Amino acid sequence: MRKYAHGLVLGKFYPPHAGHHHLVRTAQDRCERLTVLVCAAGVESVPLADRVAWMRETHPAATVVGAVDDIRMDVHDPAVWDAHMAVFTAAVPERVDAVFSSEAYGDELARRFGAEAVSVDPGRTVFPVSGTAVREDPVACWDFLEPPVRAALARRVVVLGAESTGTTTLTLALADHYRRRGGVWARTRSVPEYGREYSAQKLAALRADHPGAQWEDVIFTSDDFPLIAAVQNDREEAAARTGSPVLLCDTDSFATTVWHERYVGGRNPRVEATADLVDHHLWLLTDHEGVPFEDDGLRDGEELRPWMTSRFRAELTRTGRRFVEITGSREERLAAAVAAVDELLASGWNFNPPLPERR
């Protein structure tokens, strides 16, 4: 089998799937050096920078570059080909010895690069998936997606509320509900609240020096909260990479902005900036009414719950986040939460179509 000095793989990778990765890995096996050129039209939903980052993570040995290409596709028009090639060669100016493609236009693309054309699984028999199929139904194609793409597409649902309002109970019940659906849903993950773990560590550290210390003796500073928010984000990202199309989060970095207000007073721009780094898609606000207060040694008191519920509601509203208030018995709360999550999932992913093509 011939080995090439420099190979090229070109595609939209919108979003990248197992067929794309098979193409790249096949090319890597046959090239001393491989460039992957990711092209994106300005009308597409998934940013070019994200696609480049996903491909770089999945194929660290390849050189992955991106280019914006808003030129219409017409494989029969030489002038259109010339316009595309101006984009391609600007992004990959060095000599190309082989062009690897699964598309019918691969031969012409290789000819214009002065390279050899290498066709890889044009019938899509190795991985029966396409970018169109992924955009139309990400859930059905979930097993064809790599971890960074799954993390980006997972619908992230946050359960938040005042102390002792059943957020953990509801988060775990939701995760169990979706796992019972089987298939890709069996991998549904839930992410616990890091703030509680951090609080327990602070209390334990205090008691190491002062054995009789109680929760009210623990002091938080403004610097604690950016750390809590960042770790919460990191743990969500790790869970989303291995989970199902929905991720259940017991609080999130946005909720940390309100907890900062509670324990320190005022706002911390670093916490808010951290909260904005991650996209969440639905918040379920657990009401304190009808839920007995249970003091587990890390809680302040029942009298604060109405204020916290009100602050969460106000901040969710002010920031334009999609949220549903969850009330009633435990069974009623789970039913309402499932209905809200199902509605979110039914709304789909709303990918814009790629640039219209004429073949």
Side-chain angles (χ1 to χ4, degrees), residues 103-304:
E103 304 291 344
Y105 58 71
D107 288 349
E108 178 63 16
L109 180 63
R111 186 187 73 78
R112 285 177 170 267
F113 267 105
E116 184 172 335
V118 182
S119 181
V120 179
D121 192 30
R124 275 53 167 196
T125 57
V126 178
F127 292 102
V129 64
S130 66
T132 300
V134 174
R135 293 190 297 273
E136 289 179 351
D137 192 350
V139 174
C141 301
W142 203 251
D143 286 331
F144 292 114
L145 305 178
E146 290 290 319
V149 182
R150 292 178 185 172
L153 298 187
R155 304 290 87 174
R156 302 189 187 201
V157 177
V158 181
V159 184
L160 80 170
E163 293 177 325
S164 191
T165 58
T167 57
T168 299
T169 298
L170 181 57
T171 302
L172 294 175
L174 276 171
D176 181 66
H177 171 85
Y178 284 97
R179 288 188 198 114
R180 290 175 182 272
R181 291 187 174 182
V184 297
W185 301 103
R187 301 198 297 270
T188 298
R189 301 282 305 276
S190 64
V191 184
E193 178 187 0
Y194 177 65
R196 283 191 60 77
E197 179 183 334
Y198 188 84
S199 298
Q201 291 171 354
K202 285 183 75 76
L203 179 57
L206 182 61
R207 283 177 173 170
D209 295 326
H210 307 281
Q214 300 299 314
W215 174 242
E216 57 265 26
D217 300 316
V218 175
I219 298 175
F220 284 89
T221 70
S222 191
D223 289 338
D224 288 317
F225 291 86
L227 172 62
I228 293 171
V231 173
Q232 190 75 39
N233 283 353
D234 290 344
R235 292 188 175 185
E236 284 182 21
E237 181 69 15
R241 286 167 170 261
T242 59
S244 79
V246 66
L247 179 69
L248 287 312
C249 308
D250 184 355
T251 200
D252 69 338
S253 50
F254 162 76
T256 305
T257 66
V258 179
W259 288 112
H260 179 279
E261 183 179 344
R262 159 68 189 91
Y263 283 105
V264 180
R267 313 194 68 83
N268 183 328
R270 288 191 295 151
V271 181
E272 298 185 19
T274 302
D276 288 337
L277 292 175
V278 179
D279 288 332
H280 296 87
H281 305 92
L282 174 67
W283 285 260
L284 305 175
L285 175 58
T286 53
D287 190 14
H288 61 279
E289 294 287 350
V291 183
F293 181 79
E294 297 180 6
D295 188 353
D296 63 357
L298 292 174
R299 289 171 175 161
D300 291 322
E302 184 173 4
E303 69 280 359
L304 291 171

Side-chain angles (χ1 to χ4, degrees), residues 25-91:
R25 290 176 180 128
T26 300
Q28 278 189 293
D29 288 342
R30 297 190 58 183
C31 297
E32 296 176 8
R33 183 165 64 95
L34 178 68
T35 297
V36 178
L37 176 55
V38 183
C39 290
V43 297
E44 295 166 8
S45 307
V46 180
L48 175 61
D50 288 353
R51 278 183 259 179
V52 169
W54 296 339
M55 296 299 284
R56 284 177 177 165
E57 178 179 335
T58 308
H59 306 284
T63 298
V64 181
V65 296
V68 175
D69 184 2
D70 281 321
I71 302 160
R72 65 184 176 85
M73 186 64 185
D74 186 347
V75 297
H76 304 295
D77 189 330
V80 172
W81 264 111
D82 290 343
H84 281 293
M85 288 302 300
V87 174
F88 302 157
T89 55

Side-chain angles (χ1 to χ4, degrees), residues 272-343:
E272 298 185 19
T274 302
D276 288 337
L277 292 175
V278 179
D279 288 332
H280 296 87
H281 305 92
L282 174 67
W283 285 260
L284 305 175
L285 175 58
T286 53
D287 190 14
H288 61 279
E289 294 287 350
V291 183
F293 181 79
E294 297 180 6
D295 188 353
D296 63 357
L298 292 174
R299 289 171 175 161
D300 291 322
E302 184 173 4
E303 69 280 359
L304 291 171
R305 296 198 300 173
W307 180 83
M308 287 297 297
T309 301
S310 176
R311 289 302 300 135
F312 279 127
R313 182 187 299 116
E315 286 303 296
L316 287 165
T317 301
R318 182 184 69 82
T319 57
R321 284 170 162 82
R322 176 178 180 176
F323 75 99
V324 174
E325 295 196 45
I326 304 297
T327 62
S329 67
R330 180 178 295 189
E331 293 76 15
E332 291 170 333
R333 289 176 178 232
L334 178 59
V338 168
V341 176
D342 282 348
E343 182 180 356

